[in-house]
Amino acid sequence: MDNTYLAYIAGFLDGEGCITMVKVYRKDPRNKNPRYKEEFWGNVSVGMADPEPQRILLKQLRDDFGGYYAEFKSRGGINTRDTIFWRLTSTKASEFLKLILPYLRIKQRQAQIVVRYHELLKNNRGKKKDPPQKELDERVELIKEIRQLNKRGK
C-alpha cells in the first residue's frame, strides 16, 4: 500500500477518529456451560455528521481494510444532521493500526496499546488453560492506560 495514502489516513484518523478498547461478551469456548466471558477488543472508528465530503473516504477505507460502514439519516429535528460511521474491531483493527502506526502523531500510543493487547490475546488463542498472571496483569494495565489517554477533560 502506498505510504502517502497510509500517511493521509493516519492524519485523518488522528484528527477525526477514535482508537480504543471495547468490552465485549462472548461464549467461552473452553466451558461447556453457556457462560459468557468478558473480553476487550481493539476498536478503530470514525463517525461524522454532515458527511457528504467524507462519504467517499470512509467507503474507500471499508473497501481497502474491511470493517463496518453505515449511514444514518437525520430524523429532521433541530440541529440534527445525517451521519456516517466506519469501524474496525479486533484483528482487523490491529492489522490496520500496524500499517498506519509510523504515521500517527496524536494517537500513536493508543494504537501501540491496541496492537500489543492483540498480540497478548493471540499468544493464548486456542489454549485450554488461562494465560499466566503476568500476561493478565499486562492486559489490565494496557486497558487502564488507554482509558486514561482517551479520557475527556483531562
Side-chain angles (χ1 to χ4, degrees):
M1 200 154 283
D2 178 30
N3 289 346
T4 305
Y5 179 55
L6 294 175
Y8 175 78
I9 293 169
F12 180 71
L13 189 64
D14 263 340
E16 300 293 337
C18 177
I19 301 172
T20 192
M21 301 292 295
V22 293
K23 189 186 298 187
V24 294
Y25 295 91
R26 65 182 195 90
K27 286 185 180 179
D28 187 346
R30 295 177 290 182
N31 192 330
K32 292 179 182 173
N33 298 330
R35 273 186 35 208
Y36 288 86
K37 72 179 201 173
E38 178 181 288
E39 283 188 355
F40 286 85
W41 289 355
N43 185 55
V44 176
S45 61
V46 179
M48 309 189 89
D50 201 15
E52 199 51 48
Q54 290 82 12
R55 183 174 280 124
I56 294 168
L57 176 59
L58 293 189
K59 284 183 177 181
Q60 185 67 47
L61 290 173
R62 178 204 52 206
D63 293 345
D64 291 344
F65 303 103
Y68 171 78
Y69 172 86
E71 298 184 17
F72 303 98
K73 293 289 180 193
S74 166
R75 293 186 178 171
I78 298 172
N79 294 327
T80 62
R81 297 180 276 185
D82 293 350
T83 58
I84 55 175
F85 187 80
W86 173 71
R87 178 179 60 219
L88 284 174
T89 57
S90 195
T91 303
K92 284 184 180 182
S94 179
E95 294 304 316
F96 169 74
L97 290 171
K98 285 179 191 176
L99 290 173
I100 66 166
L101 193 57
Y103 308 104
L104 287 168
R105 295 293 173 260
I106 298 167
K107 297 180 173 127
Q108 190 173 57
R109 182 61 189 145
Q110 286 95 324
Q112 291 168 339
I113 290 169
V114 169
V115 169
R116 176 64 184 145
Y117 190 92
H118 220 71
E119 288 170 355
L120 292 171
L121 283 181
K122 282 191 338 187
N123 289 344
N124 202 50
R125 193 157 287 143
K127 296 183 180 172
K128 294 202 185 280
K129 60 182 185 175
D130 288 332
Q133 188 60 45
K134 182 179 177 185
E135 189 175 304
L136 293 172
D137 292 344
E138 184 178 355
R139 289 185 197 178
V140 168
E141 290 305 313
L142 290 169
I143 291 166
K144 284 181 186 176
E145 184 179 356
I146 202 166
R147 283 181 174 169
Q148 187 63 37
L149 288 168
N150 289 337
K151 196 177 211 178
R152 292 183 180 175
K154 294 177 191 171

